Amino acid sequence: MVSHSVESLVAAGLIVVEGNGAVRYQPVSEQVDALAGAAEELYARRPDAVRRIIVVPTPTPGVVGFADAFKLRKD
C-alpha cells in the first residue's frame, strides 16, 4: 500500500524518491505547490469533508455507470 501511494504521489508530481529510498516533498511546479497548499488549508478547516472525498470513490459517469449499477458482481 505504501509503495503504491508513493508511486501515485511521484506520478502526481508531489514527491521525489532519493537514491537511498528516502522520500521528500518536491512539487513539479509552483501551480502544483499552490494546489497542495490549498488542499492543506481545506483539510485544516474541514477535515471530515476531505476524508470523505479521499475515501468515497467518485461515481462512474454516463451509460457505463448506469450499467454498472445493475451488475451483480464486478468483473
Side-chain angles (χ1 to χ4, degrees):
M1 180 178 222
V2 173
S3 296
H4 178 68
S5 296
V6 168
E7 290 172 10
S8 294
L9 292 170
V10 168
L14 290 169
I15 64 170
V16 293
V17 179
E18 302 288 333
N20 63 0
V23 177
R24 68 181 168 84
Y25 177 71
Q26 183 177 329
V28 71
S29 68
E30 289 181 16
Q31 182 181 14
V32 170
D33 189 35
L35 290 170
E40 183 179 18
E41 289 173 17
L42 179 61
Y43 183 77
R45 286 179 302 174
R46 301 185 59 207
D48 289 335
V50 173
R51 282 192 289 268
R52 280 192 297 276
I53 291 169
I54 293 169
V55 173
V56 176
T58 55
T60 306
V63 175
V64 174
F66 181 74
D68 285 348
F70 291 94
K71 282 187 176 180
L72 297 177
R73 62 183 169 89
K74 295 291 181 185
D75 295 329

